[in-house]
Amino acid sequence: ETEGVDVAPSDIDLSATENQLFSSIGREHALREVVHGWAEKQYDYIVIDCPPTLGLLTINSLVAADGVIIPVQTQYSRLQGVRALANLVTQIQGKGLNPRLRIMGILPTFYDGRTNHAKDMLAELSELGDYHVFDTIVKQTVRLGEAPLAGKPVTSYASRSAAAEAYRSLAQEVIDLG
């Protein structure tokens, strides 16, 4: 329903694909082979949303991608995942699977500025390493939970909400980063 945006949603059958890939030759390149053909000619940007796991589907996505945005909930327990993903990116680069892959930045999400914990976590993200931390901060809002239930992006569902503005701001930051 959003003009200029195409969505290819996943479903439960995708888990079977991961099992099939395990025995395939060149399994890490399966998605790249599809995307780097017709899709790159059709779209200015291709966004691949990955589950918070480091399995073969995520590896396929990283091999196909030019850049990675790491969304991080502003909770201390989430820092471990950032380090693991950054390590995986380094391995993918180092093994020649995708030497051009780069971490574009860390995106703070589910931020609640009323808590000291969230403020401390935000400060800690900046000290995590040599990673860019996006200026955009996605705050915890009801609209973000409602939009998927309505089957719409938050920018359509609640176009004037803080969440919609945050994602517009993030899009501009990504464009500016190149």
Side-chain angles (χ1 to χ4, degrees):
E1 293 181 19
T2 304
E3 189 174 327
V5 175
D6 293 328
V7 177
S10 173
D11 64 20
I12 194 67
D13 294 334
L14 190 57
S15 63
T17 301
E18 187 164 31
N19 291 333
Q20 290 172 345
L21 283 173
F22 274 114
S23 60
S24 299
I25 295 174
R27 61 183 170 249
E28 296 90 355
H29 302 276
L31 183 59
R32 182 171 73 183
E33 290 171 3
V34 173
V35 171
H36 286 259
W38 66 272
E40 280 188 331
K41 295 175 186 149
Q42 297 284 353
Y43 300 100
D44 296 325
Y45 290 90
I46 300 170
V47 178
I48 305 169
D49 187 19
C50 298
T53 64
L54 301 180
L56 194 50
L57 293 177
T58 298
I59 291 170
N60 257 268
S61 298
L62 294 172
V63 170
D66 294 324
V68 180
I69 297 171
I70 303 175
V72 180
Q73 292 181 13
T74 49
Q75 301 169 356
Y76 282 111
S77 61
R78 305 302 180 195
L79 288 180
Q80 203 71 2
V82 173
R83 290 183 186 105
L85 182 55
N87 184 41
L88 181 59
V89 167
T90 301
Q91 288 179 45
I92 287 171
Q93 293 165 328
K95 294 197 182 288
L97 293 172
N98 186 353
R100 73 182 187 288
L101 179 64
R102 67 185 174 104
I103 295 175
M104 298 179 72
I106 297 173
L107 175 66
T109 63
F110 291 93
Y111 180 74
D112 184 351
R114 299 171 298 175
T115 69
N116 288 333
H117 178 74
K119 291 175 188 175
D120 291 345
M121 176 63 180
L122 196 57
E124 188 146 339
L125 284 177
S126 299
E127 299 169 8
L128 192 57
D130 293 332
Y131 306 115
H132 171 73
V133 177
F134 286 101
D135 292 331
T136 301
I137 298 172
V138 181
K139 297 179 179 171
Q140 189 168 344
T141 69
V142 172
R143 297 289 185 231
L144 278 176
E146 292 174 348
L149 295 173
K152 296 182 178 184
V154 73
T155 52
S156 297
Y157 176 74
S159 64
R160 294 187 187 144
S161 69
E165 285 301 318
Y167 281 105
R168 282 190 205 92
S169 174
L170 175 63
Q172 189 59 56
E173 278 192 80
V174 169
I175 291 167
D176 292 346
L177 283 173

